[in-house]
Amino acid sequence: MTDGETGRVFRLAYVPGVTPAKWVNVWTERMPDIPVSLVTVPAAEVVGLLRDGGADAAFARLPIDRDGLSVIPLYVETTVVVVPKDHAVAAVEEVALADLADDEVFHPLDDTIEWTARPGLPAFSRPATTAHAVELVAAGAGLLLVPQSLARLHHRRDLTYRPVLDAPQSQVALTWPTDATTDLVEDFIGVVRGRTVNSSRGRAPASPAEKKPAQRQAQKPAQTGSRRRAVPTGRKKKGPRPR
């Protein structure tokens, strides 16, 4: 850690449904002097937040406008359909898009799934948020397709969800402003990619390199001494030369 980082805070934004706890825990162990400030941001606002300097990095859902941003795709989420517990879909383990052809399906304005063709029948309105759409599903007004983590986030006892096998999927990524790739951002990239402390970015890797010369020096005396002992042993077997 450099003097300029002392007292700093790493600002990490994330969209609903993403759980950054496992990465934050690793960061806290490695960088105890630099706390993480977590900011929940709607999916549609995460890019603006980064460009305005409101966060150092963010977990976002692709696709996003990548202009000026660096992006590391992380994982893909299963798409599920959220239905009332008494709906026919609740009786099966998984469905296909064709199974929803006769159902009204909500398309909230904050939907992050990239559809080429929307499934089912258009619902009577487009809710502003996924949370509002879930309430409408609970009222029996239609169905909703979302990434599985959002279905878990908005879980209700009167609703359930099932995987939709042939639906497009949502991908979660780490993103940050390319021109603001600071040391702290590099360190967090190392955490997300699962690098060890010594391989995370090159601050600590000097330690293993410094050990190599010392190891070589320790081996040379043993090898040299072994050669010197072998010479007199061989000479004794020859005996004295005849005159």
Side-chain angles (χ1 to χ4, degrees), residues 40-57:
T40 305
V41 58
E45 299 176 14
V46 65
V47 170
L49 180 73
L50 290 171
R51 288 177 177 160
D52 292 342
D56 297 300

Side-chain angles (χ1 to χ4, degrees), residues 22 76 135 184 186 205 222:
K22 64 179 181 180
V76 175
E135 293 178 1
L184 293 184
E186 290 282 8

Side-chain angles (χ1 to χ4, degrees), residues 97-98 105 107 111 113-122 145 166-168:
L97 290 175
V105 178
H107 184 198
D111 185 13
I113 299 176
E114 197 169 23
W115 298 97
T116 54
R118 290 290 305 174
L121 303 173
L145 280 82
D166 54 348

